[in-house]
Amino acid sequence: MNPSIELLTIKRADVRVYMNLGFEGEDLKFDGHDLGTTVDEHWGSSEYEYTATVLAKDLAALYALHGIVPGDKEALLQALAPLFSNNSGYTLFKKYLTKEGIPFDTFTY
């Protein structure tokens, strides 16, 4: 089972934004997708996708930071969601991981 949580959904005529945090196998993945004319004006394309992934081998620090038993994926998602459930969630997530010294990979398209 790959638990996930919806962090943010915005649906307007000019933009749609979807952000989720969840597990892909044993890795933690922040996943976002922005679409619409507002995105085109900012990025030069009407679609922008982005991810940040913390590999399973690097998750112990996140569990410890939040006092969660390692492997309790649902509890980790519940602890992290309030921190990143806004339109700056992706940027904040990366800053948080960097501040705490937790390695992660990113991808944008």
Side-chain angles (χ1 to χ4, degrees), residues 34 38-48:
D34 300 359
T38 302
V39 179
D40 190 29
E41 291 166 5
H42 188 73
W43 295 105
S45 173
S46 63
E47 186 172 1
Y48 179 59

Side-chain angles (χ1 to χ4, degrees), residues 31-66:
D31 186 13
H33 194 181
D34 300 359
L35 303 137
T37 57
T38 302
V39 179
D40 190 29
E41 291 166 5
H42 188 73
W43 295 105
S45 173
S46 63
E47 186 172 1
Y48 179 59
E49 294 181 52
Y50 42 96
T51 64
T53 304
V54 180
L55 298 177
K57 66 182 184 66
D58 299 315
L59 284 175
L62 269 178
Y63 284 113
L65 277 170
H66 295 277

